[in-house]
Amino acid sequence: HLASRLENYPVSDDEVLSSLRKCWNQIVIDAEEGEKKSTTIIETAGGVLSPSSSSPLNHQTNRSLSSSGSRSGMPNSTPKWKWSTQADLYSSLQLPVVFVGDPKLGGISVTLASLEALWSRGYHVDAVVFIEAAKKNSENDREGDIHFGEGNTEALREYIAMKSLRTGKKLIAQDSIVCLPELPPMPIPLNEWYESNEGSFLALHDLLWKRWNSRLLRQPSIS
């Protein structure tokens, strides 16, 4: 978002989605030719309501006009092309979501607000994954022994169970709300962390694969 303004190079929502569909279709073609199953994960930038670099109002490349009509690459300008949120940009694709929850103190509210934003736009949230927050090293810090990631995971399970019972809708399966161990500190590579949690990744992948396949016949084509 900021980089596109500084470079004075916004694009339209249609351009972003068209490029994504082109890449996606090529992945499908390559998988079919190789007779292999393929799982494609599209990682967005920032939160679900973070700005994208595109705009539904911009239909020409390299057009960023300020309210006065002059070109400006400064971030304090007010371009006419505006911007779309990440959730709004991709909503037409009807993609299932694996949401990465906030594992820190106060993260329950952030996570629920993001989920509500996704649900209100028609997204299917198939899983929520927390990664345990890094512990503080202070010996006097009592929070050092509290696992907020695990606590937020359990709190979300309880809330989803209550909301599902109240609404009659199965929002997110309990076994699809998981917490992974804390990441190693930088600059330690993540290889060992991935290997030690391979079982959790494979179990989650199997659950998601079954849900995606069961929804496939009801899912409209995006091509």
Side-chain angles (χ1 to χ4, degrees), residues 28-45:
V28 172
I29 292 173
D30 292 342
E32 290 177 346
E33 290 179 349
E35 296 183 352
K36 298 179 180 179
K37 290 184 178 179
S38 176
T39 300
T40 302
I41 298 176
I42 301 171
E43 183 178 2
T44 60

Side-chain angles (χ1 to χ4, degrees), residues 7 10 61 167 177 190 193:
E7 294 178 0
T61 301
T167 62
I177 304 175
L190 295 177
W193 184 85

Side-chain angles (χ1 to χ4, degrees), residues 159-171:
Y159 177 82
I160 293 299
M162 178 188 66
K163 187 177 179 69
S164 297
L165 183 63
R166 187 171 61 232
T167 62
K169 299 178 181 178
K170 189 174 182 180
L171 298 171

Side-chain angles (χ1 to χ4, degrees), residues 16-196:
V16 173
L17 296 178
S18 176
S19 178
L20 177 58
R21 288 188 180 99
K22 182 178 180 180
C23 292
W24 197 340
N25 288 336
Q26 187 59 53
I27 291 173
V28 172
I29 292 173
D30 292 342
E32 290 177 346
E33 290 179 349
E35 296 183 352
K36 298 179 180 179
K37 290 184 178 179
S38 176
T39 300
T40 302
I41 298 176
I42 301 171
E43 183 178 2
T44 60
V48 299
L49 297 182
S50 293
S52 68
S53 61
S54 60
S55 164
L57 304 181
N58 178 51
H59 299 290
Q60 298 177 21
T61 301
N62 197 26
R63 180 176 69 85
S64 177
L65 299 178
S66 68
S67 56
S68 62
S70 60
R71 289 189 179 276
S72 174
M74 299 301 294
N76 61 349
S77 63
T78 308
K80 289 184 178 179
W81 53 278
K82 309 298 184 184
W83 52 267
S84 296
T85 67
Q86 299 281 325
D88 288 323
L89 174 61
Y90 300 111
S91 61
S92 64
L93 300 179
Q94 299 184 353
L95 297 172
V97 175
V98 177
F99 181 74
V100 180
D102 189 332
K104 300 184 293 296
L105 179 65
I108 296 174
S109 177
V110 175
T111 300
L112 288 177
S114 298
L115 292 175
E116 293 290 352
L118 290 168
W119 286 327
S120 70
R121 289 164 172 79
Y123 283 93
H124 293 282
V125 182
D126 284 346
V128 178
V129 179
F130 293 91
I131 298 177
E132 188 60 72
K135 305 297 187 300
K136 297 180 180 179
N137 296 323
S138 173
E139 294 181 358
N140 298 322
D141 184 5
R142 295 182 178 180
E143 293 182 3
D145 295 329
I146 301 177
H147 299 274
F148 287 112
E150 293 180 2
N152 291 1
T153 302
E154 186 58 34
L156 182 61
R157 287 173 180 158
E158 293 174 358
Y159 177 82
I160 293 299
M162 178 188 66
K163 187 177 179 69
S164 297
L165 183 63
R166 187 171 61 232
T167 62
K169 299 178 181 178
K170 189 174 182 180
L171 298 171
I172 309 173
Q174 293 287 295
D175 55 2
S176 293
I177 304 175
V178 300
C179 183
L180 297 176
E182 175 186 348
L183 293 170
M186 295 288 289
I188 299 176
L190 295 177
N191 304 56
E192 291 186 6
W193 184 85
Y194 281 119
E195 290 176 2
S196 63

